[in-house]
Amino acid sequence: MNGWSLFVGFLFMVGTVCADQLPDGQQEKPNIILMMCDDLGWGDVGFNGNSIIQTPQLDHLAEKGAVLTHFYSVGPVCSPTRASFLTGRHYYRMGVWTANKGHLPKEEYTLARMLKKQGYATGHFGKWHLGTLSRTVSAKGKGRRPDVNFAPPWQRDYDESFVTESAVCTWDPGLGKRAVNNPYYHNGKPVDEPPVGCDSRVIMDKAISFIRGAVNAGKPFVAVIWFHAPHEDIKAGPEYLKMYEGYGEAAHYYGCITAVDDQVGRLCSELEDLGITENTALFFCSDNGPEGGEPEDRLKTRRAGSSGPFSGRKRSMFDGGVRVPGMAVWPGRIAPGSRIDVPMSVLDYLPTVCEMTGAELLPNRELDGQNILPILLGEQAVHEKSIPFRFRQYAGLVEGTFKLIIESPTDASSDRLFDLSNDVAEQNNVVSRYPEKAQRMRRQILEFMASAQKSHRGDEYDAGDYSPVDPWQELGKPADQVKRRMKSRKSGEE
């Protein structure tokens, strides 16, 4: 072997450490870690100003990259956000109307499918909630139709998966009512021993094992880590309850978030030990705003989440239901200590990761997100695509600092336009002040809905036998019908 060959071999071996020093085109593909909490409010983390809940690991990680102060989950409940997270497409294109409705179609081009084509090891850990994990039973009963909504991650391009169908208790996840017909599945098989202790630790155990395996095999990896915390059933372990003595029932909520924080710190330490920190990009967010109404006395409830200065909570189209904590860290690329107030969302993950890894998008497949890497790198200050929203009888759009919410495809009398630059609580309807803007944004919403309806019926899929599980959901369901359903509901959607 000549001297030049030895030199190239040396670069290959140490590329994890010095990849950012290599010329463009010779850099290693970055590892990708995408983390998401469940029902974590915008105001529930230290990097967004919370002074009670201890999140030192997340705060430290945020200092190494960019805090995304105007980041949207898009869905105000769980399953919709998760569908958009993995595909870059609005969940209405897939018929995932709300929690426990529809599933992730096998025809969708996901992050895992895209990166697997690039030689990545692919792993998913924690909550799934994009279909059933059994063809015969579901945690949500027969009404979930497990025979037609079977869509597990091991059939969605993941090499490694350790998942539950839906929410479990944040402590002793293998026990209690949430665990009924809802075990952890490891690569398609229910685990033999029900997991006990801290659920976030249980999830991270498997994620770290996967990461070690990928590194030992010399493969880049993508790890999707979806924590259950702080979704109900909310229970903190003894050491975490001790940290929040004097906070009553809220100690359970605070404690399970700190437990997540500890596991994020553990993950970061593992990346350091493996020598891959500099070539690993990490993203963090929540799937929607915090559960429940604003309690008069937070110490009496475990629904103690904070939506910060925003109106609304989970299930709301107001920002408190869809604006969530967010961060992006990519050493050597994203400037440490950044705070970015440009609107972005989970819809942007797939096209951004595509750009970061040199992957390819599918032609003729409508994407609702965009590549936000120029924004994260400080090269651009505008999100070019408007961000669409849809839930129950409402549809909405964020365009720059303006947000429009409509309730009817034909009647604009109930339209509400907010200028988020000076009204983050969405208290002042400025439709009359900006009528042309409101009309143009309304047209955009209706155009998006028409496009989504075509996607829903399978127009973009190369599958002649495709048929959606549920019929298309028209805009404009009467508000009183929704209110009656909410009044009779015994327990909230996930």
Side-chain angles (χ1 to χ4, degrees), residues 367-389:
L367 283 183
D368 299 301
Q370 71 175 60
N371 169 26
I372 57 171
L373 189 58
I375 299 174
L376 299 178
L377 299 182
E379 299 169 355
Q380 183 175 316
V382 176
H383 193 279
E384 295 166 354
K385 284 191 175 183
S386 299
I387 302 173
F389 300 86

Side-chain angles (χ1 to χ4, degrees), residues 269-305:
S269 294
E270 185 69 25
L271 300 179
E272 288 282 354
D273 292 345
L274 292 171
I276 58 173
T277 296
E278 298 303 312
N279 197 39
T280 300
L282 301 97
F283 297 85
F284 176 88
C285 70
S286 175
D287 65 343
N288 46 250
E291 176 64 273
E294 291 285 355
E296 293 182 3
D297 185 351
R298 289 184 179 275
L299 303 188
K300 294 181 180 178
T301 179
R302 298 188 188 188
R303 293 183 171 187

